[in-house]
Amino acid sequence: MTSDNEIDIKEAFHRAQKGHNNKAKLVTSLKSRYNKLEDKTLFHEEFVHYLKYAMIVYKREPAVENVIEFVARFATSFQSSPRPEEDEQPEGEEEDEEAEDDHPFLSFIFNFLLESHKASSHAVRFRVCQLINKLLGSMAENAQIDDDLFDHIHQAMLVRVTDKFPNVRIQASLAMTRLQQPKDPDCPTINAYMLILENDSNAEVRRAVLSCIAMSPLTLPKVIKRTRDIKENVRKLAYQVLADKVHIKALTIAQRVSLLQQGLHDTSEAVRDVVCTRLLPAWLLRVDGDIIEMLHRLDVENCSQTALETLKAIFTNMPPEELVQDRMRLDNRKLIPVDCLSCENVLYWRALCEFIKAKGDDGDEMLEQVLPDAATYGDYLYRYLKAVPLLSEEQRADFTQLELVMTKEFISQQLIHLIGCLDTNEEGGRKRVLAVLQEMLALPHTPSSLVSLLTEKLLTLIPDDDRCIQTVAEIISDVREPIMEVNRPVDEKENRRQQVQLAEVKVRILEAKHTLEECIAAEEFSRAAELKDSITELENRRNLIVQEMAESCQPADKEVRAEKNDPETLLRCLTMCAELLKQMSMKTRIGPTISALISSLILPSIANAHPAVRNMAVACLGTCTLHSKDLAKTHLVLLLQISQLDEVKIRITSLRAIIDLLLLFGFQLLSEAAGPENGVSSQSPDRQEENGDLPEDSAQTILLMLSEFLDSEVSDLRTETAEGLAKLMYAGRITSSKILSRLVLLWYNPVTEDDTRLRHCLGVFFQLYARESRVNQEVVEESFLPSVRTLLNAPATSPLAEVDINNVVELLVELTRPSILIKPPSNTEVCVHDYLAVRMCGEMLKDPTAPEVRLYTKTLSNLELSRDETTRKDLQTLLLQLVQEVKDRVCLRALDKMISQLDSKEQAEVLSATALQPLDVNADELATDDASKSAKRTKRGQRKVCAAKGSKKPGRRTESSEESDGENVPESVPVVRPSRRAKTAALEKTKLDLNPLINQEANIS
């Protein structure tokens, strides 16, 4: 028997399995025994002997985990404890300490583990990596190991991070944490970590690397990229790592904006919560809590929406009393002084007012503390907008002046947005704001970038549509035909004639006065009286001529209306018109005022030489046609011509208008526009093509044009066309398997790999369309064979040759599953998969030796067939014929399996259980070659739709470590929660005890 403070190895391992035992005491007792031994070899061998019992267990049993923890503590207990004065010691003593750090037992354990890391058992490899991780992690921060041992550990773990089992890779990655050298650009550990982050198929492995990778300029972009990982947990951890380890100054402005934009719009609520509660507070902490300063670190002028959402997230987690703190430095009128206005504080002011306004009645009192009354704010806005300069072409060449004006325009936009937060219930304030908006719209020097926003805010203050139309029409009239004063030029001939007349009158007056004096002297008083009247008349005439001469010398100004047709004026008027039409209710019909605008402004502008004017005019015309079916019939041909002939941007605008018209009025509009003699048809284009009743310039022409657009080299036009066709199909305006096949192939085409909007739009459309109704699933089923044939026949030079046909077939099978329908059919009803099975059997019978027969036979076993007896018998007959025709052994085995399933009574359950579901490479530790290939295809742009996530493909379930358990557990079924006592009893039953194994081995020996 040993003494009380000593314990033998077997007893130590027995006690270490129990979680309640004090491992520190066990370590001390065993260490005391070890130190008294002269020959350590037997102790080493016996220790390893008992350790092996734990290393062959792969499952994370509590007893095994306790033993592993005990071994790590015991092995590292031989290290010398760090001393504060270590740095001041001489070199000789440092070398002695290095020798002490490399304790024989610790070196022996490391060597044993390194020799075992290539074992064939994945359990042993897992425990080796786990022990090395715990040993290195238990060492002191300033611990040192031998260079050779360091290299051996390094090389072994670099091999294990490529292990087949994810849990081994996880522990190997964690074990290399302390082996990193961030300052070395060629560090193998860092390079291995970055390779894992990019390529490892298991999400838990990527999470493990994220948790331990050192931050450096080399690794930061890789960590940021994981914020766009496919798995929610990886994205969440990536944001946590960035919040805890990366200073805001280490990120570029583009990276900060991108992180906020993606994080705040993430599909996972948990990720959004991490951004709001971890990332933003960490950034604020690093700028001393100054929100305005943090906005300086973002590009608020070019990403104002992201900045607003960021501020909203900050305000949500802020107490109400802190919201009204004067961060904007408002004056006594509750306004920011004009000299203190900046992009950041005005955006903060707007975000704060909008956030408080959204609280409703609860925020009225707080809103009054940060925003003045409407009349005061209207005067403030008017003074600032009047001061915004309008640059000439020469001034625009000066970047400093241009930047200053752009800043003022941004501030003006935010101030205009604040109008929506004002209390406009008071009549005087509302009238003042309306007057300011109308005057600013009419002023020629108002920047064009503010016209749309000013019009929008003006229309929100006028509730009546008719009054809105009248107000905007008057402003457009004043802008396009302003009142101008015309100067009349002085007529020199008329002026000379008046001077001659004046001289003549003056001479006659002098002669009359002389004659009057003579008559008075001769006492001819009657004659004198006549001369006096004559003189008075001449003087009046002289005064009249002088007055006329004075008026002619000062040319008069005449007020006239002059029409302006320059591009800037037309664009300003069209922008106001477009905003008006956008705000109008769809029930409001085209009246005389709008008709006058169409004839005098919109239609003439379509022929304008300036592209921006034409584009806005097309947008206005398209919006007008939505309010009037007659107008749509009249101008549809014009829109079609524009969509084919003009510049790309204008073609896209016209295409949007055409799609909107077809969504609203349907293809029936085409037949009516073509002429009443052609009749009216509401059938789908496919059936219209079969009937051939419609004229050539109707539905067929439209679909042909859209098909050509799908092949366009211009990505924007191609994307807009695909989105429009998807809308038309989802709305039921088109029922075409050909178009659906084109969209599926476009989605998989590597050419569209970088077109994120197209990929996202079609990915959402396929799932929604197939789930909507069985009719839609029938369209998908009809597109199955054409899509497969197109891919099989694609030449080697075509991008479609790179597409994996198995992936496309899997998508179409998932989309046609009866179980994904919103209203699933009964089991006895014939389903779409029944028809698909018959189609594939017929295709195989055409050529039983074709290479695609394997693809079809594999797909047959993945279908969800109904229980209809007739369908089952027909399918069984076809399968029997195929067995006689097909010679390939793999295909014959699949066909025999299918026949046996049809013969069984429970074939429906079997087929349902074996239904192929999207394979999650992270869910199974045995990552097969197919899974790795699928992951590579996904990187290239090929997609896989997870239409039915509830069921999983059955397979051999392997045990995993706790880091990867979350990936292997299927969705739980709600059950009654057991009592605590029952759970404790169940846990005791499942605990693994190593003692019987050890005792059995001892008895045998």
Side-chain angles (χ1 to χ4, degrees):
M1 295 291 293
T2 58
S3 60
D4 293 340
N5 60 346
E6 294 181 14
I7 189 172
D8 62 6
I9 300 175
K10 181 178 179 181
E11 183 64 22
F13 273 87
H14 280 317
R15 294 186 184 182
Q17 297 178 55
K18 309 299 180 183
H20 56 79
N21 279 321
N22 191 332
K23 292 184 177 59
K25 290 183 178 180
L26 291 177
V27 169
T28 304
S29 300
L30 193 60
K31 185 177 179 182
S32 175
R33 176 181 174 82
Y34 179 84
N35 291 331
K36 292 181 179 181
L37 296 174
E38 294 182 1
D39 184 9
K40 316 290 187 183
T41 305
L42 293 177
F43 184 92
H44 292 171
E45 292 177 355
E46 187 179 358
F47 191 90
V48 167
H49 171 75
Y50 290 117
L51 174 60
K52 288 179 180 178
Y53 287 101
M55 292 181 64
I56 61 174
V57 180
Y58 183 63
K59 191 174 181 181
R60 302 297 291 265
E61 292 286 352
V64 181
E65 296 302 314
N66 290 333
V67 169
I68 298 295
E69 183 67 27
F70 164 71
V71 172
R73 286 194 184 188
F74 179 72
T76 54
S77 67
F78 293 99
Q79 276 198 313
S80 58
S81 58
R83 286 173 290 186
E85 64 274 8
E86 185 179 18
D87 296 336
E88 302 176 3
Q89 293 176 348
E91 295 181 2
E93 295 184 12
E94 289 181 1
E95 292 178 0
D96 294 340
E97 285 197 3
E98 289 181 15
E100 290 179 5
D101 285 341
D102 295 336
H103 193 274
F105 182 79
L106 187 59
S107 299
F108 171 77
I109 289 294
F110 270 123
N111 290 330
F112 165 72
L113 294 174
L114 292 174
E115 291 172 359
S116 307
H117 86 90
K118 293 183 179 180
S120 59
S121 170
H122 63 277
V124 176
R125 299 197 304 272
F126 167 65
R127 293 300 175 181
V128 166
C129 295
Q130 184 187 25
L131 259 175
I132 292 177
N133 173 34
K134 288 186 176 294
L135 287 171
L136 293 176
S138 300
M139 291 181 178
E141 290 186 7
N142 57 352
Q144 298 178 355
I145 61 175
D146 183 67
D147 288 343
D148 293 336
L149 179 60
F150 178 93
D151 293 336
H152 290 158
I153 295 174
H154 203 181
Q155 293 301 323
M157 293 301 99
L158 286 175
V159 173
R160 292 278 67 83
V161 293
T162 60
D163 197 276
K164 184 178 181 181
F165 284 77
N167 289 317
V168 180
R169 301 200 299 272
I170 289 173
Q171 294 300 326
S173 301
L174 295 174
M176 291 197 299
T177 302
R178 301 190 67 175
L179 307 181
Q180 300 178 81
Q181 300 176 24
K183 294 182 180 180
D184 181 8
D186 299 323
C187 174
T189 303
I190 297 290
N191 292 334
Y193 277 168
M194 293 192 295
L195 192 65
I196 292 171
L197 287 177
E198 288 285 340
N199 300 314
D200 200 290
S201 60
N202 190 282
E204 292 302 317
V205 180
R206 301 196 297 273
R207 289 185 74 245
V209 173
L210 273 178
S211 66
C212 59
I213 190 171
M215 289 294 106
S216 68
L218 189 64
T219 61
L220 181 58
K222 305 295 183 182
V223 176
I224 292 176
K225 191 174 182 179
R226 286 307 99 204
T227 60
R228 301 187 294 275
D229 195 276
I230 192 173
K231 288 294 181 180
E232 168 190 333
N233 289 337
V234 180
R235 300 197 302 273
K236 180 179 175 181
L237 182 60
Y239 279 109
Q240 291 175 351
V241 170
L242 289 171
D244 298 337
K245 297 183 180 180
V246 181
H247 197 284
I248 187 173
K249 290 183 178 179
L251 301 168
T252 64
I253 292 179
Q255 288 173 335
R256 297 169 198 159
V257 173
S258 177
L259 287 173
L260 291 175
Q261 190 171 8
Q262 294 167 8
L264 294 173
H265 290 93
D266 197 280
T267 55
S268 168
E269 184 178 355
V271 176
R272 297 196 299 270
D273 185 64
V274 166
V275 175
C276 296
T277 59
R278 294 284 295 274
L279 185 66
L280 286 177
W283 286 3
L284 278 174
L285 187 63
R286 291 179 172 96
V287 293
D288 300 326
D290 190 347
I291 301 178
I292 303 295
E293 179 63 26
M294 195 188 80
L295 289 177
H296 276 291
R297 308 297 174 90
L298 304 175
D299 186 10
V300 295
E301 291 188 56
N302 294 321
C303 62
S304 58
Q305 191 59 37
T306 301
L308 286 171
E309 291 166 356
T310 302
L311 290 171
K312 183 180 178 181
I314 295 174
F315 295 152
T316 304
N317 299 317
M318 189 180 292
E321 57 271 12
E322 292 186 17
L323 282 175
V324 292
Q325 286 184 357
D326 192 9
R327 290 185 173 88
M328 300 91 63
R329 298 178 182 177
L330 301 176
D331 58 16
N332 55 359
R333 298 178 302 163
K334 304 171 190 173
L335 296 169
I336 301 177
V338 175
D339 298 337
C340 300
L341 280 173
S342 67
C343 296
E344 288 77 21
N345 63 12
V346 74
L347 188 72
Y348 179 89
W349 192 20
R350 172 196 168 187
L352 179 61
C353 293
E354 289 180 350
F355 181 78
I356 297 175
K357 181 77 172 179
K359 291 179 175 290
D361 297 337
D362 298 336
D364 289 344
E365 186 176 348
M366 286 191 292
L367 193 61
E368 291 177 359
Q369 301 179 35
V370 295
L371 200 62
D373 60 273
T376 304
Y377 187 81
D379 294 335
Y380 174 77
L381 177 64
Y382 180 75
R383 286 197 301 273
Y384 188 84
L385 293 181
K386 288 274 287 185
V388 177
L390 187 64
L391 297 181
S392 61
E393 292 298 330
E394 294 79 8
Q395 291 174 325
R396 287 183 179 276
D398 186 355
F399 183 75
T400 304
Q401 292 190 20
L402 182 61
E403 186 178 11
L404 180 62
V405 171
M406 290 176 67
T407 300
K408 287 183 175 293
E409 289 182 8
F410 178 81
I411 295 174
S412 301
Q413 290 175 357
Q414 307 313 312
L415 293 176
I416 295 170
H417 276 293
L418 271 170
I419 293 175
C421 300
L422 295 174
D423 182 11
T424 54
N425 293 325
E426 194 268 321
E427 186 68 18
R430 188 168 63 85
K431 285 185 175 180
R432 177 56 187 154
V433 175
L434 275 173
V436 170
L437 294 175
Q438 291 181 27
E439 186 171 352
M440 293 313 302
L441 283 171
L443 287 177
H445 72 271
T446 302
S448 301
S449 59
L450 304 179
V451 173
S452 178
L453 191 56
L454 287 168
T455 309
E456 178 189 343
K457 295 303 177 184
L458 173 69
L459 297 176
T460 56
L461 295 176
I462 305 175
D464 184 24
D465 275 355
D466 293 335
R467 189 179 164 199
C468 286
I469 294 171
Q470 189 64 31
T471 303
V472 174
E474 290 175 357
I475 297 173
I476 291 175
S477 177
D478 291 340
V479 170
R480 193 169 183 207
E481 298 180 353
I483 298 175
M484 303 178 64
E485 294 182 348
V486 180
N487 295 330
R488 187 173 58 186
V490 179
D491 191 350
E492 294 295 336
K493 292 183 178 180
E494 181 67 21
N495 190 26
R496 183 175 296 277
R497 186 183 63 81
Q498 289 175 346
Q499 289 178 354
V500 171
Q501 288 181 351
L502 180 61
E504 181 182 353
V505 171
K506 286 181 178 181
V507 170
R508 292 178 63 185
I509 289 173
L510 289 174
E511 291 178 350
K513 284 183 178 181
H514 181 69
T515 308
L516 176 63
E517 291 176 357
E518 291 179 350
C519 291
I520 292 174
E523 296 182 353
E524 296 179 359
F525 297 109
S526 58
R527 170 86 174 156
E530 292 177 359
L531 288 172
K532 189 174 182 181
D533 293 339
S534 177
I535 292 171
T536 303
E537 184 178 349
L538 290 172
E539 287 179 349
N540 290 338
R541 186 178 177 187
R542 182 194 62 186
N543 295 336
L544 183 61
I545 293 173
V546 169
Q547 184 178 356
E548 290 178 357
M549 289 179 65
E551 290 178 357
S552 61
C553 291
Q554 296 179 358
D557 294 334
K558 184 179 180 181
E559 292 185 352
V560 296
R561 285 190 175 271
E563 187 177 63
K564 297 171 67 175
N565 287 316
D566 58 289
E568 291 78 11
T569 302
L570 291 176
L571 189 58
R572 184 187 296 267
C573 295
L574 288 168
T575 303
M576 287 188 280
C577 185
E579 196 63 40
L580 170 65
L581 294 168
K582 189 191 303 181
Q583 299 291 335
M584 278 172 51
S585 171
M586 287 297 295
K587 297 180 180 179
T588 304
R589 294 303 171 189
I590 301 297
T593 306
I594 298 294
S595 299
L597 287 174
I598 293 174
S599 59
S600 62
L601 176 64
I602 297 175
L603 290 178
S605 298
I606 289 179
N608 194 279
H610 201 276
V613 176
R614 292 203 307 276
N615 187 50
M616 189 60 69
V618 171
C620 290
L621 182 62
T623 312
C624 287
T625 55
L626 296 176
H627 291 268
S628 171
K629 193 172 184 179
D630 294 334
L631 201 63
K633 296 175 188 177
T634 304
H635 298 293
L636 180 61
V637 176
L638 176 60
L639 292 173
L640 289 171
Q641 292 175 347
I642 294 172
S643 66
Q644 294 175 320
L645 302 176
D646 216 316
E647 295 185 3
V648 173
K649 187 177 180 180
I650 304 173
R651 291 173 64 188
I652 291 175
T653 303
S654 178
L655 181 61
R656 289 174 182 167
I658 294 170
I659 296 296
D660 289 342
L661 286 175
L662 295 178
L663 284 171
L664 183 62
F665 300 116
F667 280 84
Q668 185 179 9
L669 178 69
L670 299 172
S671 58
E672 294 177 0
E677 67 277 3
N678 294 320
V680 176
S681 172
S682 59
Q683 299 176 358
S684 66
D686 271 2
R687 294 180 175 85
Q688 289 172 355
E689 292 174 9
E690 295 171 4
N691 294 340
D693 294 334
L694 294 181
E696 187 179 353
D697 57 348
S698 57
Q700 297 95 325
T701 306
I702 294 284
L703 293 179
L704 181 61
M705 179 189 75
L706 295 179
S707 298
E708 292 175 353
F709 288 168
L710 286 178
D711 297 327
S712 174
E713 296 180 357
V714 182
S715 61
D716 291 340
L717 183 62
R718 184 175 60 226
T719 301
E720 200 66 43
T721 305
E723 183 177 342
L725 288 172
K727 289 178 180 178
L728 290 170
M729 292 193 69
Y730 186 70
R733 295 298 185 183
I734 299 178
T735 307
S736 173
S737 60
K738 295 179 183 178
I739 291 179
L740 184 64
S741 176
R742 290 289 304 275
L743 294 179
V744 170
L745 296 176
L746 184 66
W747 194 50
Y748 277 99
N749 197 325
V751 174
T752 63
E753 182 177 359
D754 297 329
D755 197 340
T756 308
R757 181 185 164 199
L758 174 67
R759 289 289 178 97
H760 178 72
C761 171
L762 292 180
V764 173
F765 160 70
F766 290 143
Q767 298 185 59
L768 294 179
Y769 182 74
R771 293 177 66 247
E772 187 68 23
S773 68
R774 178 190 164 121
V775 175
N776 293 351
Q777 283 194 337
E778 291 176 358
V779 177
V780 178
E781 182 260 331
E782 290 175 6
S783 68
F784 180 87
L785 289 179
S787 301
V788 173
R789 289 194 195 111
T790 303
L791 292 174
L792 291 172
N793 299 327
T797 56
S798 171
L800 293 177
E802 301 178 20
V803 177
D804 180 26
I805 302 180
N806 293 311
N807 210 330
V808 179
V809 169
E810 190 174 325
L811 166 70
L812 296 175
V813 170
E814 291 299 327
L815 294 179
T816 51
R817 286 196 184 280
S819 57
I820 72 168
L821 287 171
I822 297 176
K823 296 180 180 179
S826 61
N827 290 333
T828 58
E829 184 180 350
V830 179
C831 63
V832 177
H833 273 191
D834 295 338
Y835 297 126
L836 185 59
V838 173
R839 281 180 184 270
M840 285 191 289
C841 289
E843 192 70 14
M844 286 187 285
L845 286 172
K846 289 181 180 179
D847 187 2
T849 60
E852 61 266 22
V853 172
R854 277 196 179 188
L855 174 66
Y856 292 141
T857 53
K858 178 184 174 182
T859 307
L860 278 175
S861 62
N862 301 324
L863 301 179
E864 292 181 9
L865 302 178
S866 66
R867 297 182 182 179
D868 182 69
E869 288 291 334
T870 305
T871 305
R872 190 169 55 179
K873 290 180 181 179
D874 293 343
L875 186 57
Q876 204 166 13
T877 303
L878 289 172
L879 291 174
L880 290 173
Q881 293 180 16
L882 281 170
V883 170
Q884 297 175 0
E885 299 289 338
V886 175
K887 304 302 180 184
D888 187 79
R889 291 183 180 181
V890 177
C891 298
L892 285 174
R893 283 198 299 268
L895 292 173
D896 290 339
K897 181 181 177 181
M898 191 70 184
I899 293 173
S900 62
Q901 288 178 354
L902 290 174
D903 288 336
S904 65
K905 295 180 180 179
E906 298 178 355
Q907 57 88 21
E909 287 78 2
V910 174
L911 289 175
S912 177
T914 59
L916 177 62
Q917 296 297 327
L919 180 61
D920 188 353
V921 294
N922 298 327
D924 195 346
E925 293 176 1
L926 294 173
T928 61
D929 294 339
D930 291 340
S932 62
K933 291 177 182 178
S934 177
K936 292 178 182 177
R937 288 194 302 270
T938 303
K939 280 192 65 179
R940 285 205 314 267
Q942 280 69 31
R943 296 287 195 267
K944 192 184 326 182
V945 172
C946 299
K949 296 183 180 178
S951 57
K952 295 286 182 183
K953 182 179 180 179
R956 183 169 64 87
R957 184 184 182 274
T958 56
E959 299 170 339
S960 62
S961 65
E962 64 184 1
E963 290 86 354
S964 189
D965 285 345
E967 295 298 319
N968 298 322
V969 178
E971 294 183 6
S972 59
V973 180
V975 295
V976 180
R977 183 177 181 180
S979 65
R980 183 177 297 275
R981 182 176 299 174
K983 288 194 291 184
T984 305
L987 183 61
E988 290 295 332
K989 289 180 181 179
T990 58
K991 281 185 177 179
L992 178 65
D993 191 358
L994 295 179
N995 293 337
L997 293 174
I998 297 175
N999 293 332
Q1000 182 182 359
E1001 180 70 18
N1003 294 334
I1004 293 174
S1005 62

